[in-house]
Amino acid sequence: MPVEHLATRQHVLAMCRTMLERGYLKATEGNVSVRVPGHRLYAVTPSNYSYDRMRVEDVCIVDFDGNHVPDADRAGAALAPSIECGMHANIYRARPDVHAIVHTHQPYASALAVLRRPIPALTDEQVRFLGREVAIIDYAPSGTGLLARHVQKKITSGDNAFILANHGIVAVGTDPERAVFNMALLEKVSIAYLMALATESGKVYTIPTAIREVAFARLRSDEKRIAAQITKSVPPQQVPDAVPLPSADRAALEVVAAREAFAGAGPVAPAEAPGAESARLGYAISAYPDVEDTMARLRALVDQPLRGLRQDALNDVLEWFDTKCSGSRQLTERAKSRIPGGVQHNLAFNHPFPLAIDRADGAHLTDRDGNVYIDFLQAGGPTLLGSNYGPVNDQVAQVVRASGPVTGLFHEYELKLADSIHRFMPHVEMYRALGSGTEAVMAAVRAARAHTGHKVVIKVGGAYHGWSDTLVYGLRVPGTFRMNAKGIPFGATSATREAFPHDLGALRRKLIENRLRGGTAAVLVEPLGPESGTRPVPEDFNARVRELCDEFGALLIFDEVVTGFRVGMGGAAGYFGVTPDLTVLGKAVSGGYPMAGGVGGREDVMAVFGSGLDGKSGAHVQVGGTLSANPLSCAAGYFAIEEMARTNAPVVAGRAGDRLAAGLQRLVGKHALPYVVYNQGSIVHLECSGVMLLDMHNPVKLFKENKPRKQLMEQMGAAYTANGIITLAGSRLYTSMADTDAVIDDALERFDRVFSMVDGV
Ligand code: PMP
C-alpha cells in the first residue's frame, strides 16, 4: 500500500477510534475522510460499515471525480466507499484548506433544523474555530448530488461546521484532530444554544460584529497557513523492499580485484601522474543527491509540526541512561568540578549526560559501563579506516619509538606527507602542516590576504570553519552574523562577510560591494555545503564560485577538513573537478591522530608561508606551533593516507553510507515519517527536526522553533544512543571502512526500533 495512502488511512482510522471512544458515534452512522496530501485523492470510511470493526485496509481511497481507486495490492478494494463521497469531494475541491471532514447524525442537529435557527456567534471559541455562524443547509436526500451541491454552496463561506436539515452535521478542519475538535465544539454550542432558546425569555446574546470579524479573519489566515504547510508536504522517498540495498562488502571485494588487476599489469606498478590515482580509485559519492528534491523535503519538514518520541518511549530512553550508564554519569558528574560543563568536546553528545568511552575498535565503541555502540560519529570524521586502526597504529608506534613524538627539527615524514597529499591532490603543490582545522583556516585566510593585498573574506552562512576570531560569524544559522561571537571584538570580524547558502546572486553582490571596501581576499566554502552538506550545494555551485573568484580577483579556498579523503582520495576538488587556490585539510589528514590540520595549494600563494630563520623579517605571514608538523602526526597522516588509497577506504565507506541512507529512507517510508535522509558518500544526513534548516529568512520562526527543534534532535540522538547507535548530534552519521553490510544492517534494525517509538507511528 503506498505510504501516503497508508498514513492517510491511518488518520481516518484514528478519527473513527477517537469518535467512538468519546461517544460521538455509534455503529455505522456518518462517515469521515482525510485528504491525501499533495494529491486529488482522499481516504474515506466505507459505506454502511461498523466503526468498531474498521481496519486500515477497509478505508477506501477515492478521487475528486468520485472514482474509487483501490491500491495495486487491492487494499481498500473490498468495500464500497461511503455514499456521501460526492459531498466530501465537493468540499475538498472548494476548500483547499480543508484536510479532514466529519459527518455524523446527531439529535441536536435535528432540533435546530426543525427550529430553522442557524447558531449565531455565541462565544469567542466558536467564532475562532467554527466561523461566523453555524448555518443550516437545506434538506436533500442522503448521498445525492443535490446534497453535495447544497453543501458546496455554503462551505465557500469559510465556516467550518454546518447543520444538515433533517440529517446531521458536517464539521471540517485543517487536519483530522481539528475536524474532530470542531465537531465536538459544534455539539457544545448547539446544546448551549438550544438551552438558551428554551429559557423563559428565549433571548440570546451574540458577539458584536466587529469583534466577530477580527476572530474570523484570524481563523481564515491561520487555516490558510496550516493548509499550505500540509499540502506542501512531500511523499516519502520510496525504497521498495524488493530492491537490494547497496553493498559495502561488494565494494571492498571490488577494490581488492582492482588492486590486483592494476598490480598485475606489469612487474612494477605503472607510474601515474599526480591525480591519476585518485581518478582511478573513484569517489565516495555514487550519485549526487537531487538537491532540489532534498531541499523541498527539508523545507516541508521544517514547515510541519514536530514528530518526536511518545512520552512512554521517552521515559524508557531516560531510564535506560539511568540504569545502564551509571559509570558514565558518575565520572562526568565529577568532571563538572574540573572541566567547564563537564565535557570538553563540542561533538560529545551530552543529553541527558555525556558517555565516558573506554574502548574504540573499528565500527564500535564501548563505554565505561560496558555498553557497546555502533559508532557513526567517527570522532567527527577523521577515522575513515575505522577507529583504532591497527596497521596504522603499528607504523606510527615504530616512528615514535625511534624519534619520540617531537623534536622541533625537520623529519622525513613531513616531506612524505606533503608528497603523498600532492600525489592525490595535485593542486596542493605545497603543504604546511599545522595544529587543527581551525588553525589551518586561519592560516589560509591570512595567506589569501597577504597574497592578494585585499581584506575581506566571504564565507557561506551556516558553514563551520573552526573557532577563530575571524570566522565565528554566521555560524550554524545563516544570516546570524555575530550571534555566536561572544568574547570576539568587532574589529576581528569587520572584514568577514557571509552570503546565504546557494545564493550566487548574493555572493556576486558581496563581491561588488567589497570592491569599494578593501577588495575580496578570498571566498571560503565547504564544497559539499555548509555543515558538511547539511544544506547540500547544487552540483555546479563550486564551479560557479570559481568563476566569480576569477572575475573579482579573489582566491577560492576549499575547506576540505571533512571532505578531504572522505569524498575520495582527490577530495571534493577532485570530485567536482574544480581547482581551488588553497585547500584546508584536517581530520583524516592525520588519520585520527592529533594535530590534524594543514593548508596547501598554489606554489606562489604558499610562498607567503616561508619559515625558519630566513632573516627577511616581515616578508612572510606568521604561522607556527611548537608541535606542528611533528613526526608522530606526519607519520600517522602519511601511513593513513597510503592505507586509505590501498584499501580505497573512501569508496568502501561511501558504499556503506549508501546502504545506510537507502535503508533509512526505507524505514522512514515504512513508518510514514516526515524525516529527510540523504547522503554524500560516507556523510549521511538524517534530519528529524530540520533545526539546521531554520535561518534568518524567517527570524520569527527561527526564534520560536529553534529551541524545540533542537531539543527534538537531542531527544532522537538520546534514543539512538539508548538503542546502541552513536550519531553526530542526532542528525549526521559518518560511515567508515569498518562498516560492513552486517554492521549497517544491525544499525538499521536499531533505527527501526527507534522510529517505531515515534508519536503517531
Ligand atoms: N572546517 C570544517 C568544515 C570542519 O568541519 C571543522 C571541524 N569540525 C573545522 C574546520 C575545524 O577543525 P578543527 O576542529 O580541527 O579545528
Side-chain angles (χ1 to χ4, degrees):
M1 163 179 328
V3 263
E4 68 264 44
H5 294 184
L6 173 65
T8 312
R9 283 190 167 109
Q10 279 169 339
H11 281 310
V12 169
L13 208 63
M15 283 170 81
C16 292
R17 206 170 299 143
T18 313
M19 299 203 319
L20 273 174
E21 277 165 10
R22 298 197 197 154
Y24 293 127
L25 271 182
K26 285 195 301 295
T28 63
E29 285 171 359
N31 49 59
V32 304
S33 74
V34 176
R35 186 196 288 269
V36 181
H39 296 267
R40 292 176 64 80
L41 294 172
Y42 59 97
V44 65
T45 43
S47 181
N48 204 17
Y49 191 65
S50 172
Y51 290 97
D52 293 325
R53 279 189 286 145
M54 196 98 56
R55 298 165 314 161
V56 170
E57 54 272 36
D58 297 334
V59 177
C60 305
I61 301 288
V62 181
D63 70 17
F64 283 9
D65 300 321
N67 301 312
H68 182 199
V69 283
D71 298 333
D73 60 5
R74 307 292 300 149
L79 301 162
S82 160
I83 57 163
E84 300 292 10
C85 276
M87 178 173 87
H88 288 251
N90 277 2
I91 296 174
Y92 287 127
R93 249 197 235 114
R95 288 276 300 271
D97 57 304
V98 169
H99 283 76
I101 301 171
V102 179
H103 164 47
T104 65
H105 303 162
Q106 307 285 30
Y108 62 80
S110 310
L112 285 160
V114 169
L115 293 172
R116 298 219 132 258
R117 309 269 291 257
I119 310 173
L122 300 177
T123 66
D124 289 355
E125 199 188 20
Q126 178 195 342
V127 180
R128 186 84 181 76
F129 296 108
L130 303 187
R132 289 192 174 98
E133 65 166 14
V134 179
I136 296 180
I137 293 176
D138 292 341
Y139 174 76
S142 294
T144 58
L146 187 60
L147 177 65
R149 281 194 297 280
H150 282 338
V151 170
Q152 189 181 19
K153 238 183 272 159
K154 289 274 188 191
I155 193 100
T156 48
S157 65
D159 293 344
N160 289 336
F162 303 89
I163 304 224
L164 302 176
N166 305 336
H167 187 157
I169 63 111
V170 177
V172 301
T174 41
D175 58 40
E177 248 177 66
R178 178 55 61 188
V180 174
F181 170 91
N182 286 347
M183 179 200 57
L185 182 59
L186 172 59
E187 181 175 271
K188 200 165 107 181
V189 295
S190 300
I191 290 166
Y193 186 48
L194 282 169
M195 300 277 280
L197 292 179
T199 59
E200 248 169 64
S201 72
K203 207 166 161 50
V204 177
Y205 293 94
T206 61
I207 296 178
T209 315
I211 298 173
R212 190 186 68 182
E213 284 307 308
V214 171
F216 184 75
R218 281 212 31 209
L219 163 75
R220 294 306 298 148
S221 72
D222 280 1
E223 286 189 340
K224 274 200 196 121
R225 185 177 49 75
I226 296 168
Q229 290 172 2
I230 296 174
T231 6
K232 252 198 284 171
S233 78
V234 283
Q237 286 139 318
Q238 306 271 328
V239 183
D241 284 342
V243 173
L245 296 179
S247 166
D249 294 357
R250 188 155 5 98
L253 289 175
E254 283 165 10
V255 167
V256 175
R259 189 167 61 221
E260 283 168 2
F262 186 71
V268 187
E272 292 180 278
E277 202 173 338
S278 306
R280 177 166 56 77
L281 292 170
Y283 287 88
I285 302 174
S286 47
Y288 197 72
D290 179 343
V291 170
E292 234 172 77
D293 178 71
T294 306
M295 290 308 292
R297 287 175 188 287
L298 289 168
R299 276 192 293 270
L301 172 68
V302 176
D303 280 340
Q304 287 176 49
L306 299 179
R307 284 288 295 282
L309 297 186
R310 291 193 304 271
Q311 192 55 46
D312 59 320
L314 193 55
N315 294 345
D316 288 349
V317 167
L318 295 178
E319 194 186 313
W320 183 88
F321 276 94
D322 258 359
T323 53
K324 301 282 187 193
C325 304
S326 52
S328 282
R329 196 187 38 219
Q330 281 161 19
L331 210 56
T332 54
E333 198 55 44
R334 265 176 42 217
K336 280 187 189 157
S337 60
R338 287 281 169 266
I339 294 168
V343 63
Q344 317 242 20
H345 207 284
N346 291 339
L347 296 179
F349 208 70
N350 53 13
H351 176 71
F353 49 81
L355 293 177
I357 298 299
D358 277 358
R359 286 196 302 279
D361 183 21
H364 293 96
L365 297 172
T366 308
D367 72 10
R368 162 62 47 130
D369 299 281
N371 301 304
V372 179
Y373 307 90
I374 301 174
D375 173 18
F376 291 129
L377 173 59
Q378 287 294 319
T383 51
L384 197 62
L385 293 160
S387 292
N388 203 359
Y389 186 72
V392 172
N393 289 350
D394 295 344
Q395 313 252 40
V396 171
Q398 275 184 34
V399 174
V400 173
R401 270 197 292 276
S403 68
V406 64
T407 63
L409 298 175
F410 183 78
H411 195 289
E412 187 186 1
Y413 279 106
E414 293 171 49
L415 175 60
K416 279 176 167 278
L417 175 64
D419 267 344
S420 221
I421 296 171
H422 174 65
R423 194 169 110 222
F424 295 107
M425 300 178 179
H427 52 284
V428 181
E429 294 167 353
M430 303 199 110
Y431 181 71
R432 173 82 199 232
L434 291 159
S436 63
T438 302
E439 283 186 26
V441 171
M442 285 163 61
V445 167
R446 194 170 294 172
R449 286 173 168 162
H451 180 80
T452 60
H454 300 155
K455 273 201 301 210
V456 185
V457 282
I458 306 176
K459 70 174 292 256
V460 175
Y464 182 66
H465 298 290
W467 50 274
S468 66
D469 277 6
T470 317
L471 285 160
V472 176
Y473 193 82
L475 219 59
R476 200 172 70 74
V477 184
T480 50
F481 308 111
R482 287 179 45 92
M483 196 167 84
N484 292 291
K486 195 173 171 125
I488 299 175
F490 275 90
T493 49
S494 64
T496 310
R497 304 279 182 276
E498 62 165 314
F500 253 84
H502 314 175
D503 190 343
L504 289 163
L507 180 56
R508 171 178 282 280
R509 283 194 296 282
K510 292 262 177 302
L511 287 160
I512 293 170
E513 272 170 29
N514 293 348
R515 273 189 183 144
L516 310 168
R517 299 189 177 89
T520 306
V523 178
L524 174 61
V525 298
E526 286 185 70
L528 289 183
E531 283 283 350
S532 306
T534 294
R535 294 172 191 242
V537 290
E539 207 169 354
D540 66 343
F541 180 80
N542 293 299
R544 299 284 90 78
V545 176
R546 174 75 271 179
E547 285 166 12
L548 282 172
C549 285
D550 292 343
E551 185 182 336
F552 287 87
L555 298 190
L556 173 60
I557 307 175
F558 269 8
D559 181 341
E560 295 228 38
V561 167
V562 171
T563 53
F565 308 107
R566 186 164 277 282
V567 165
M569 296 307 294
Y575 174 74
F576 288 111
V578 175
T579 306
D581 301 294
L582 290 177
T583 298
V584 175
L585 294 172
K587 302 200 193 258
V589 81
S590 59
Y593 276 80
M595 308 297 279
V599 56
R602 261 169 55 187
E603 193 179 334
D604 59 329
V605 183
M606 290 299 292
V608 300
F609 288 120
S611 57
L613 303 171
D614 63 2
K616 279 193 281 174
S617 114
H620 298 132
V621 301
Q622 183 70 38
V623 293
T626 306
L627 276 151
S628 292
N630 65 75
L632 167 94
S633 307
C634 292
Y638 168 74
F639 288 120
I641 290 170
E642 293 297 318
E643 189 64 4
M644 286 190 268
R646 191 186 71 80
T647 56
N648 206 352
V651 169
V652 177
R655 291 305 162 270
D658 288 346
R659 186 176 186 86
L660 180 60
L664 284 169
Q665 284 168 348
R666 184 178 280 170
L667 291 177
V668 164
K670 171 178 152 188
H671 295 291
L673 292 167
Y675 303 166
V676 183
V677 180
Y678 62 97
N679 72 311
Q680 293 146 312
S682 55
I683 306 168
V684 181
H685 298 273
L686 164 58
E687 286 292 341
C688 56
S689 84
V691 61
M692 299 293 279
L693 276 297
L694 297 173
D695 61 40
M696 289 300 281
H697 277 327
N698 189 344
V700 175
K701 189 171 174 76
L702 172 67
F703 289 115
K704 222 167 91 184
E705 296 191 13
N706 193 40
K707 197 164 165 205
R709 286 190 182 270
K710 192 160 161 278
Q711 279 169 346
L712 169 62
M713 191 168 87
E714 287 174 357
Q715 187 192 89
M716 293 305 286
Y720 302 143
T721 306
N723 281 274
I725 293 174
I726 302 284
T727 59
L728 193 163
S731 63
R732 202 182 310 161
L733 313 155
Y734 287 117
T735 51
S736 78
M737 188 177 73
D739 291 319
T740 58
D741 291 355
V743 171
I744 298 295
D745 293 348
D746 181 11
L748 289 171
E749 270 181 47
R750 292 160 191 269
F751 278 114
D752 195 12
R753 247 183 277 155
V754 177
F755 291 163
S756 64
M757 303 192 298
V758 172
D759 207 8
V761 167

